[in-house]
Amino acid sequence: MKNIMKSIWYEILRSKMLIRLYIVFVLLMGLIGVLNTGQMQGGHASGMIAENSLVIYEFPVFMLAIIVGIICGEDYKDKVANYEVLSGHSRKSIFFARSFMGILVGSVFSTILCSVPLIVGIIVDGWGGALVLSDVIIRILLLFFPMLRLAAFLAVITFLVKNQYVMMASGFIIMMGCSLLQTLITDSKNIFISIFNMALLMSFDGWSIYNLDPVKGLVTYNSYVSTVTPELVIGTITASLVMTAFYLFMGYALFRRDDLS
């Protein structure tokens, strides 16, 4: 299993397509940070995150699907999985090596991607006072866990469809569905579904007050609560780890009976 994981990591480092795609997404997330910072009523980077938190995790979800699809599904096109079986590796080691690498690499790099608008926003326009920076950092770090859960689900689907390009397309659909589902579904912020969990983590309770300014006229002042509660942390981690284990168990149950064709 370790040898397979080392081989996969070597392939990742040599994958020009994956590296270029990731660089493109980093630049895209940086551009999002530049364009959105200072445009919200809250002002600065904290205002951007408080009033348009979807920009933090929407595109990283797309990148997550791409990474998982490439790591778990690319070798189906040249039957490498068959070679691994014939060379003495068990199906168990093949499945878990590829799944672990896809899930961990995808989750880590997607979570890093979530931090890019925050970093760029601070550099461009400062942090501001709409939110507490340490709370936002904790919330972004916690995004790793619903990313992990979603990556495990995508890994199982990849082993079923055996096509990395289908997974890339599914990533685009999931990305577009992030905003659509939150609009259509009332209870779209909870720990039970990965993208809803992300929405909950990046959701900030707030209120607005109004004042009259002799120059600006009616001015709106927004205030937000960014405190991270123990219930949110425990619920996010527990639900994500349980569902990740469930997806891996179901995925292996299907993979060990697969003909790898």
Side-chain angles (χ1 to χ4, degrees), residues 1-35:
M1 183 171 168
K2 290 182 179 180
N3 290 335
I4 298 176
M5 293 177 74
K6 289 179 181 178
S7 175
I8 294 170
W9 181 245
Y10 178 76
E11 291 174 4
I12 293 171
L13 295 177
R14 291 178 60 87
S15 176
K16 293 181 180 180
M17 181 181 73
L18 185 56
I19 293 173
R20 288 170 180 170
L21 278 173
Y22 192 76
I23 292 173
V24 168
F25 271 81
V26 169
L27 295 175
L28 178 61
M29 294 297 287
L31 181 61
I32 288 173
V34 171
L35 295 178

Short mmCIF file of all heavy atoms in Angstrom, two decimals, residues 1-35:
data_model
loop_
_atom_site.label_atom_id
_atom_site.label_comp_id
_atom_site.label_asym_id
_atom_site.label_seq_id
_atom_site.Cartn_x
_atom_site.Cartn_y
_atom_site.Cartn_z
N MET A 1 0.83 -1.21 0.00
CA MET A 1 0.00 0.00 0.00
C MET A 1 0.87 1.26 0.00
O MET A 1 0.58 2.24 -0.70
CB MET A 1 -0.93 -0.01 1.22
CG MET A 1 -1.88 1.17 1.29
SD MET A 1 -3.09 0.95 2.61
CE MET A 1 -3.80 2.57 2.70
N LYS A 2 1.94 1.26 0.80
CA LYS A 2 2.84 2.42 0.84
C LYS A 2 3.49 2.65 -0.50
O LYS A 2 3.67 3.80 -0.93
CB LYS A 2 3.89 2.21 1.93
CG LYS A 2 3.36 2.29 3.35
CD LYS A 2 4.48 2.13 4.35
CE LYS A 2 3.96 2.22 5.77
NZ LYS A 2 5.06 2.05 6.78
N ASN A 3 3.86 1.56 -1.18
CA ASN A 3 4.50 1.70 -2.50
C ASN A 3 3.54 2.32 -3.51
O ASN A 3 3.95 3.14 -4.34
CB ASN A 3 4.98 0.34 -2.99
CG ASN A 3 6.16 -0.18 -2.19
OD1 ASN A 3 6.91 0.60 -1.60
ND2 ASN A 3 6.32 -1.49 -2.14
N ILE A 4 2.27 1.93 -3.45
CA ILE A 4 1.27 2.49 -4.36
C ILE A 4 1.09 3.97 -4.07
O ILE A 4 1.02 4.79 -4.99
CB ILE A 4 -0.07 1.75 -4.23
CG1 ILE A 4 0.08 0.28 -4.62
CG2 ILE A 4 -1.14 2.40 -5.11
CD1 ILE A 4 -1.18 -0.55 -4.41
N MET A 5 1.04 4.33 -2.78
CA MET A 5 0.86 5.74 -2.41
C MET A 5 2.06 6.58 -2.85
O MET A 5 1.88 7.71 -3.32
CB MET A 5 0.64 5.84 -0.90
CG MET A 5 -0.66 5.21 -0.43
SD MET A 5 -0.91 5.25 1.36
CE MET A 5 -1.31 6.98 1.60
N LYS A 6 3.26 6.02 -2.71
CA LYS A 6 4.46 6.74 -3.18
C LYS A 6 4.41 6.93 -4.69
O LYS A 6 4.79 7.98 -5.21
CB LYS A 6 5.71 5.97 -2.78
CG LYS A 6 6.02 5.99 -1.29
CD LYS A 6 7.28 5.18 -0.99
CE LYS A 6 7.60 5.18 0.50
NZ LYS A 6 8.80 4.36 0.81
N SER A 7 3.96 5.89 -5.39
CA SER A 7 3.85 5.96 -6.84
C SER A 7 2.83 7.02 -7.26
O SER A 7 3.05 7.79 -8.21
CB SER A 7 3.44 4.60 -7.40
OG SER A 7 3.21 4.66 -8.79
N ILE A 8 1.70 7.08 -6.54
CA ILE A 8 0.67 8.07 -6.85
C ILE A 8 1.20 9.48 -6.60
O ILE A 8 0.97 10.39 -7.41
CB ILE A 8 -0.59 7.81 -6.00
CG1 ILE A 8 -1.23 6.48 -6.40
CG2 ILE A 8 -1.60 8.95 -6.17
CD1 ILE A 8 -2.33 6.03 -5.46
N TRP A 9 1.91 9.68 -5.48
CA TRP A 9 2.46 11.00 -5.19
C TRP A 9 3.47 11.42 -6.26
O TRP A 9 3.51 12.59 -6.65
CB TRP A 9 3.11 10.99 -3.81
CG TRP A 9 3.70 12.30 -3.40
CD1 TRP A 9 5.00 12.60 -3.18
CD2 TRP A 9 2.97 13.52 -3.16
NE1 TRP A 9 5.15 13.92 -2.82
CE2 TRP A 9 3.91 14.51 -2.80
CE3 TRP A 9 1.62 13.86 -3.21
CZ2 TRP A 9 3.55 15.82 -2.49
CZ3 TRP A 9 1.26 15.18 -2.92
CH2 TRP A 9 2.21 16.14 -2.57
N TYR A 10 4.25 10.46 -6.73
CA TYR A 10 5.20 10.74 -7.81
C TYR A 10 4.46 11.17 -9.08
O TYR A 10 4.87 12.11 -9.76
CB TYR A 10 6.05 9.50 -8.08
CG TYR A 10 7.05 9.66 -9.21
CD1 TYR A 10 8.23 10.39 -9.02
CD2 TYR A 10 6.82 9.08 -10.45
CE1 TYR A 10 9.15 10.54 -10.04
CE2 TYR A 10 7.74 9.22 -11.49
CZ TYR A 10 8.90 9.96 -11.27
OH TYR A 10 9.80 10.10 -12.30
N GLU A 11 3.35 10.50 -9.36
CA GLU A 11 2.54 10.84 -10.53
C GLU A 11 1.94 12.24 -10.39
O GLU A 11 1.84 12.99 -11.36
CB GLU A 11 1.43 9.81 -10.72
CG GLU A 11 1.91 8.43 -11.15
CD GLU A 11 0.79 7.41 -11.16
OE1 GLU A 11 -0.38 7.82 -10.92
OE2 GLU A 11 1.06 6.22 -11.40
N ILE A 12 1.52 12.58 -9.16
CA ILE A 12 0.94 13.90 -8.92
C ILE A 12 1.96 15.00 -9.19
O ILE A 12 1.67 16.01 -9.85
CB ILE A 12 0.43 14.01 -7.47
CG1 ILE A 12 -0.75 13.07 -7.25
CG2 ILE A 12 0.02 15.45 -7.13
CD1 ILE A 12 -1.19 12.96 -5.80
N LEU A 13 3.18 14.80 -8.70
CA LEU A 13 4.23 15.79 -8.88
C LEU A 13 4.63 15.97 -10.34
O LEU A 13 5.13 17.02 -10.74
CB LEU A 13 5.46 15.41 -8.06
CG LEU A 13 5.28 15.42 -6.53
CD1 LEU A 13 6.55 14.95 -5.84
CD2 LEU A 13 4.87 16.81 -6.03
N ARG A 14 4.41 14.92 -11.13
CA ARG A 14 4.76 14.97 -12.55
C ARG A 14 3.56 15.28 -13.45
O ARG A 14 3.72 15.34 -14.67
CB ARG A 14 5.39 13.64 -12.98
CG ARG A 14 6.77 13.40 -12.38
CD ARG A 14 7.32 12.04 -12.80
NE ARG A 14 7.45 11.95 -14.25
CZ ARG A 14 8.51 12.35 -14.94
NH1 ARG A 14 9.53 12.91 -14.31
NH2 ARG A 14 8.56 12.20 -16.25
N SER A 15 2.40 15.47 -12.84
CA SER A 15 1.18 15.74 -13.62
C SER A 15 1.11 17.22 -13.98
O SER A 15 0.69 18.06 -13.18
CB SER A 15 -0.06 15.33 -12.84
OG SER A 15 -1.23 15.67 -13.54
N LYS A 16 1.53 17.55 -15.19
CA LYS A 16 1.54 18.95 -15.62
C LYS A 16 0.11 19.52 -15.67
O LYS A 16 -0.11 20.69 -15.33
CB LYS A 16 2.20 19.07 -16.98
CG LYS A 16 3.70 18.76 -16.97
CD LYS A 16 4.30 18.92 -18.35
CE LYS A 16 5.80 18.59 -18.33
NZ LYS A 16 6.40 18.74 -19.69
N MET A 17 -0.84 18.70 -16.09
CA MET A 17 -2.21 19.17 -16.19
C MET A 17 -2.76 19.55 -14.82
O MET A 17 -3.35 20.63 -14.65
CB MET A 17 -3.10 18.10 -16.81
CG MET A 17 -4.56 18.55 -16.96
SD MET A 17 -5.65 17.29 -17.66
CE MET A 17 -5.80 16.16 -16.29
N LEU A 18 -2.53 18.70 -13.82
CA LEU A 18 -3.05 18.96 -12.48
C LEU A 18 -2.39 20.19 -11.87
O LEU A 18 -3.06 21.04 -11.27
CB LEU A 18 -2.83 17.73 -11.59
CG LEU A 18 -3.42 17.79 -10.18
CD1 LEU A 18 -4.91 18.05 -10.25
CD2 LEU A 18 -3.14 16.49 -9.44
N ILE A 19 -1.09 20.30 -12.03
CA ILE A 19 -0.35 21.46 -11.48
C ILE A 19 -0.81 22.75 -12.14
O ILE A 19 -1.05 23.76 -11.46
CB ILE A 19 1.17 21.26 -11.66
CG1 ILE A 19 1.64 20.09 -10.79
CG2 ILE A 19 1.92 22.53 -11.30
CD1 ILE A 19 3.08 19.70 -11.02
N ARG A 20 -0.97 22.73 -13.46
CA ARG A 20 -1.42 23.93 -14.16
C ARG A 20 -2.84 24.32 -13.77
O ARG A 20 -3.14 25.50 -13.60
CB ARG A 20 -1.32 23.71 -15.67
CG ARG A 20 0.12 23.69 -16.20
CD ARG A 20 0.18 23.23 -17.63
NE ARG A 20 1.55 23.20 -18.13
CZ ARG A 20 1.92 22.66 -19.29
NH1 ARG A 20 0.99 22.11 -20.09
NH2 ARG A 20 3.18 22.67 -19.65
N LEU A 21 -3.70 23.33 -13.63
CA LEU A 21 -5.07 23.61 -13.21
C LEU A 21 -5.10 24.23 -11.82
O LEU A 21 -5.85 25.19 -11.58
CB LEU A 21 -5.90 22.31 -13.22
CG LEU A 21 -6.46 21.85 -14.56
CD1 LEU A 21 -7.09 20.48 -14.42
CD2 LEU A 21 -7.48 22.84 -15.10
N TYR A 22 -4.27 23.72 -10.94
CA TYR A 22 -4.26 24.25 -9.58
C TYR A 22 -3.75 25.70 -9.57
O TYR A 22 -4.31 26.55 -8.86
CB TYR A 22 -3.39 23.39 -8.67
CG TYR A 22 -3.57 23.72 -7.20
CD1 TYR A 22 -4.70 23.30 -6.51
CD2 TYR A 22 -2.63 24.49 -6.52
CE1 TYR A 22 -4.90 23.62 -5.17
CE2 TYR A 22 -2.81 24.81 -5.18
CZ TYR A 22 -3.94 24.38 -4.52
OH TYR A 22 -4.12 24.71 -3.20
N ILE A 23 -2.74 25.97 -10.35
CA ILE A 23 -2.22 27.34 -10.45
C ILE A 23 -3.30 28.28 -10.98
O ILE A 23 -3.47 29.41 -10.50
CB ILE A 23 -0.96 27.39 -11.33
CG1 ILE A 23 0.20 26.65 -10.64
CG2 ILE A 23 -0.56 28.83 -11.63
CD1 ILE A 23 1.43 26.49 -11.51
N VAL A 24 -4.05 27.81 -11.99
CA VAL A 24 -5.15 28.61 -12.55
C VAL A 24 -6.19 28.92 -11.48
O VAL A 24 -6.68 30.06 -11.35
CB VAL A 24 -5.80 27.89 -13.74
CG1 VAL A 24 -7.11 28.58 -14.14
CG2 VAL A 24 -4.86 27.86 -14.93
N PHE A 25 -6.52 27.92 -10.67
CA PHE A 25 -7.52 28.13 -9.62
C PHE A 25 -6.99 29.06 -8.53
O PHE A 25 -7.76 29.85 -7.96
CB PHE A 25 -7.94 26.78 -9.02
CG PHE A 25 -9.09 26.14 -9.74
CD1 PHE A 25 -8.89 25.43 -10.91
CD2 PHE A 25 -10.38 26.26 -9.26
CE1 PHE A 25 -9.94 24.84 -11.58
CE2 PHE A 25 -11.45 25.67 -9.92
CZ PHE A 25 -11.24 24.96 -11.09
N VAL A 26 -5.70 28.97 -8.21
CA VAL A 26 -5.11 29.90 -7.24
C VAL A 26 -5.23 31.33 -7.75
O VAL A 26 -5.64 32.24 -7.00
CB VAL A 26 -3.63 29.55 -6.97
CG1 VAL A 26 -2.96 30.66 -6.17
CG2 VAL A 26 -3.52 28.23 -6.21
N LEU A 27 -4.91 31.54 -9.02
CA LEU A 27 -5.02 32.88 -9.61
C LEU A 27 -6.47 33.34 -9.64
O LEU A 27 -6.76 34.53 -9.39
CB LEU A 27 -4.43 32.87 -11.03
CG LEU A 27 -2.92 32.59 -11.13
CD1 LEU A 27 -2.50 32.49 -12.59
CD2 LEU A 27 -2.12 33.66 -10.41
N LEU A 28 -7.38 32.42 -9.94
CA LEU A 28 -8.80 32.75 -9.98
C LEU A 28 -9.30 33.16 -8.60
O LEU A 28 -10.02 34.17 -8.45
CB LEU A 28 -9.60 31.56 -10.50
CG LEU A 28 -11.14 31.71 -10.56
CD1 LEU A 28 -11.52 32.85 -11.49
CD2 LEU A 28 -11.78 30.41 -11.02
N MET A 29 -8.91 32.41 -7.58
CA MET A 29 -9.33 32.75 -6.22
C MET A 29 -8.71 34.07 -5.77
O MET A 29 -9.34 34.85 -5.05
CB MET A 29 -8.92 31.62 -5.26
CG MET A 29 -9.65 30.31 -5.49
SD MET A 29 -11.43 30.42 -5.23
CE MET A 29 -11.50 30.54 -3.45
N GLY A 30 -7.48 34.33 -6.20
CA GLY A 30 -6.86 35.61 -5.90
C GLY A 30 -7.61 36.76 -6.56
O GLY A 30 -7.81 37.82 -5.94
N LEU A 31 -8.03 36.55 -7.80
CA LEU A 31 -8.80 37.58 -8.51
C LEU A 31 -10.14 37.82 -7.83
O LEU A 31 -10.60 38.97 -7.72
CB LEU A 31 -9.03 37.13 -9.96
CG LEU A 31 -9.80 38.09 -10.87
CD1 LEU A 31 -9.06 39.42 -11.00
CD2 LEU A 31 -10.02 37.46 -12.25
N ILE A 32 -10.76 36.76 -7.34
CA ILE A 32 -12.02 36.90 -6.60
C ILE A 32 -11.81 37.77 -5.37
O ILE A 32 -12.63 38.64 -5.04
CB ILE A 32 -12.56 35.51 -6.20
CG1 ILE A 32 -13.10 34.78 -7.43
CG2 ILE A 32 -13.65 35.63 -5.15
CD1 ILE A 32 -13.49 33.34 -7.18
N GLY A 33 -10.68 37.53 -4.67
CA GLY A 33 -10.38 38.34 -3.50
C GLY A 33 -10.20 39.81 -3.85
O GLY A 33 -10.69 40.69 -3.14
N VAL A 34 -9.52 40.09 -4.97
CA VAL A 34 -9.29 41.47 -5.40
C VAL A 34 -10.60 42.15 -5.78
O VAL A 34 -10.87 43.30 -5.39
CB VAL A 34 -8.32 41.51 -6.59
CG1 VAL A 34 -8.24 42.91 -7.17
CG2 VAL A 34 -6.93 41.04 -6.17
N LEU A 35 -11.44 41.46 -6.53
CA LEU A 35 -12.68 42.06 -7.05
C LEU A 35 -13.75 42.26 -5.98
O LEU A 35 -14.56 43.19 -6.07
CB LEU A 35 -13.25 41.19 -8.18
CG LEU A 35 -12.39 41.08 -9.45
CD1 LEU A 35 -13.06 40.15 -10.45
CD2 LEU A 35 -12.17 42.46 -10.07
#
